[in-house]
Amino acid sequence: MKKILRLLLFATVIAAGPMLLIGWTKWVEPKWGTVQVIQAAKEIKRGQIIKKDDLKVVNIKADQIVSNRKTEPNESNRLTNGSLIIGEEALRTIYVNEQIIEDMLGLDELKPGNGESNMPIPNDWILMVPGSLLRGDHISLMPVLDKTRMQGETSRNALEEDEEKTVKPAAVSESDVDALTDIPVSYSKAGNNQEVTTEDDGRQKPSGAVKNLEIVVNENQRKLIIKYGSEGYKFLVTYR
């Protein structure tokens, strides 16, 4: 009887070896020293609203995670109720297996928050706007004096011959220039009132020229834009 038990024990140990190896290889090793992250399960185009089936949760080595990733180990379950990523708008093309990071998403910042508003900029207040400007970009507005308007004011004042009626535009302060930076573009539309898009992230093929521009501004920025636009300035638009 003891001999039979020894044989059974020996057979069990021999059989358990491969099973333990399979278990280690299949379930333990892939998660050993790894972190859960959310990646793109398929290519997500710029401007696309992200859905659950666009994403997947995977385990990767800790040294492969990227900064500002849009998930923590315990947050992957939130994919079920759509928080964090689902329903957000892709600000650029997100490729298969890319980890989702904060800079890829931007729908929230394109919605005015407390003390903010969505503001269109009159076309005659814009000096120049980059042809590659798209929704979700962050722009800076540099007030530039409109010489054509000021020449008209000078001629009118000369005819009136009244120096007291001469309107002198306010100088642009450095603090105002700083305030008019990092402004999100909520809409960038062509002449047909359709959103300007591009076929590639290199912006080589925009769908049209920007004709209508709307931005998300706080109260101070709104007042500064109205102030300079009303005093004969136009805005040079740059973006990052």
Side-chain angles (χ1 to χ4, degrees), residues 63-78:
D63 59 359
Q64 296 176 342
I65 63 174
V66 297
S67 59
N68 297 323
R69 70 187 188 280
K70 197 61 175 172
T71 185
E72 295 294 338
N74 296 326
E75 291 180 340
S76 58
N77 291 334
R78 299 188 188 182

Side-chain angles (χ1 to χ4, degrees), residues 79-92:
L79 285 173
T80 304
N81 58 29
S83 63
L84 293 179
I85 301 173
I86 296 172
E88 289 275 8
E89 179 178 334
L91 293 183
R92 67 165 177 83

